[in-house]
Amino acid sequence: MNAGPTIADLTGLIGAMAAGDRTAFEKLYLATSRKLFGVILRILRDREAAEDVLQEAYVRIWENAGRFDPERASPITWMSTIARNRAIDVARRRRPRPAEDVTAAERVVDPSPSALSLLGAAEDARRLDACLESLDPPHGQMVRLAYLDGLSRQELADRFDQPVGTIKTWLRRSLARLRDCMDR
Amino acid sequence: MTDREDDIWPLAGEYVLGTLEADKRADVERRKDGEPALAEAIAAWERHFAPMLDDVGKGEAPRAEVLEAIMARIGGAPKAPAAPILAPPDPSEAPAAVAARSEIARLRRRAAGWRAAAMAASIALAGLVGLLVYRPDMLPLPTERNYVAVFQDGDAAPRFLLSVDLATQRLTIRPVAAEPAPWQSYQLWIVAEEFGPKPRSLGLLDGVEAPTTRVLSEISPAVLEGALFGISLEPAGGSPTGQPTGPALHGTLIPVSASEQP
């Protein structure tokens, strides 16, 4: 079975990119673009907009290859974070989505761990899961919806049928609890 | 200061979660370069939340145009990578193929030169195949039963060179400037009228470090002569569908006449 690229493979490609190797970049793109596209598309839910963001994200990945620090993040985390940031930028600038669109949207979760997800530090993932579970019931779900689906405060308010002020309080409280939990 | 810190962490957290409004988000973006504490808090939240991204499945593939657009945008700055090292001689090779080896080495150097030139000018030398068609003397493979095909993509350098000796139905694929694909396989295809419209697999290449040789005794010389060949990049182990699924390079055979021998 194809185990997919390892952290070392991807780190090597990013290192080569930092030295100006475009073919290394092409390989990195072929190995990772579907994952990043998945991250972006889930937030934007619009193929065309997602492809634009994907393009921006990879140009940024190319430009910042020299700043990638394998000590701080895995390659796929670093790239996904760049892609997600761009997607959120676009999501926040555009018109809010109607509530029914948000509630009806399927939450696509990969049931089997993909080759790339196995690269993620399993330990960190378990801890985050445990910390999110420890929040008051809808709050963990709210944090996931914000992070993974890119919902704004207003969209979260519609989703949970709460005033925006309450969502703001929930967010602040959740973040304080998570920070304690993650640092433990 | 404690109260300042109390401010920074939730702000950074909401920035990373993405729940800040556009103007507040832009504000944080501006501030973070000049405020190490804020930047640090953002980095910490990014680390904390990143494992959630593991759950996001791979989406559909983006259209091929996206990669093209990106490659065009990043075309200016980078310098060309070094040309691959020539593989050691394979004792099982036909004498003609061995004789051609020094020529291959020369081609590789030329390929590297073409690539560098194309980078510098930011243009693709798309006419390479045409150049080889009109200047077959560049490829002095010894007998008139020999044919050669060049595989390249939009880049300036040919990726593979395929030669066929019709007398023995022996086919040799030499990587010229093909990039290693450790977690993928290069697969060879043939398209010929006799086989219908779909490509037929001729198996996987042995890699890009050494030539791959196949003796195609089941395919007649006449069919080989008129066939179109393709090399595609597939998942490791080959195409799961029996048809090319990855990016493909194509080449048709060009006769190499005996009169061009050195």
Side-chain angles (χ1 to χ4, degrees), chain A residues 2 4-5 9-10 13 19-23 25-27 29-31 33-35 37-39 41-42 47 51 54-56 58-60 62 72 77 80-81 84-85 88-89 92-93 108-110 114 116-117 120-121 124-125 128-129 132 143-144 146-148 151-153 156 168 171-172 175-176 178-179 182-183, chain B residues 5-7 9-11 13-22 24-25 29 32 39-40 43-67 69-81 115 119 153 155 159 179-184 233 235-236 247:
Chain A
N2 179 12
D9 289 334
L10 296 176
L13 290 176
D21 186 342
R22 289 168 87 233
T23 52
F25 174 81
E26 209 171 336
K27 278 186 277 182
Y29 178 90
L30 291 174
S33 54
R34 283 185 58 195
K35 166 75 176 183
F37 195 50
V39 168
L41 197 54
R42 179 153 174 180
R47 236 188 122 81
E51 284 184 340
L54 188 71
Q55 186 180 325
E56 294 304 320
Y58 273 99
V59 169
R60 187 166 265 206
W62 167 257
R72 290 177 70 97
T77 297
S80 298
T81 302
R84 189 187 159 277
N85 262 332
I88 294 285
D89 282 344
R92 285 300 80 84
R93 282 198 303 264
V108 184
V109 172
D110 193 0
S114 69
L116 285 170
S117 81
D124 290 348
L128 177 64
D129 273 346
L132 287 172
V143 170
R144 286 183 197 275
Y147 188 79
L148 289 175
L151 267 60
S152 67
R153 284 179 188 162
L156 290 168
K168 198 173 167 183
L171 283 168
R172 297 276 158 148
L175 287 167
L178 283 174
R179 191 185 166 203
M182 297 299 289
D183 287 344
Chain B
E5 241 222 339
D6 284 350
D7 234 23
W9 279 85
L11 181 68
E14 277 214 76
Y15 168 77
V16 172
L17 267 188
T19 48
L20 293 179
E21 286 105 14
K24 288 223 178 87
R25 184 171 173 80
E29 194 74 45
K32 72 176 176 161
E40 196 182 307
W45 281 117
E46 281 179 344
R47 268 199 310 281
H48 287 336
F49 286 140
M52 273 194 269
L53 294 172
D54 291 352
D55 293 339
V56 181
K58 289 185 193 178
E60 296 162 61
R63 285 174 306 135
E65 287 85 342
V66 178
L67 177 58
I70 297 168
M71 293 310 283
R73 281 180 64 183
I74 69 170
K79 53 182 181 288
R115 179 183 293 197
M119 296 279 184
D153 56 22
D155 205 298
R159 300 290 175 95
E179 296 304 324
W183 51 85
Q184 287 171 298
L233 195 53

Side-chain angles (χ1 to χ4, degrees), chain A residues 130-145:
Chain A
C131 289
L132 287 172
E133 290 303 311
S134 76
L135 299 178
D136 296 331
H139 296 188
Q141 193 195 355
M142 172 190 66
V143 170
R144 286 183 197 275
L145 283 169

Side-chain angles (χ1 to χ4, degrees), chain A residues 162-182:
Chain A
Q162 298 286 337
V164 176
T166 303
I167 293 297
K168 198 173 167 183
T169 308
W170 284 8
L171 283 168
R172 297 276 158 148
R173 195 181 300 157
S174 300
L175 287 167
R177 296 266 298 269
L178 283 174
R179 191 185 166 203
D180 282 347
C181 183
M182 297 299 289

Side-chain angles (χ1 to χ4, degrees), chain A residues 154-166:
Chain A
Q154 182 60 57
E155 287 164 340
L156 290 168
D158 294 344
R159 179 81 165 78
F160 290 99
D161 203 14
Q162 298 286 337
V164 176
T166 303

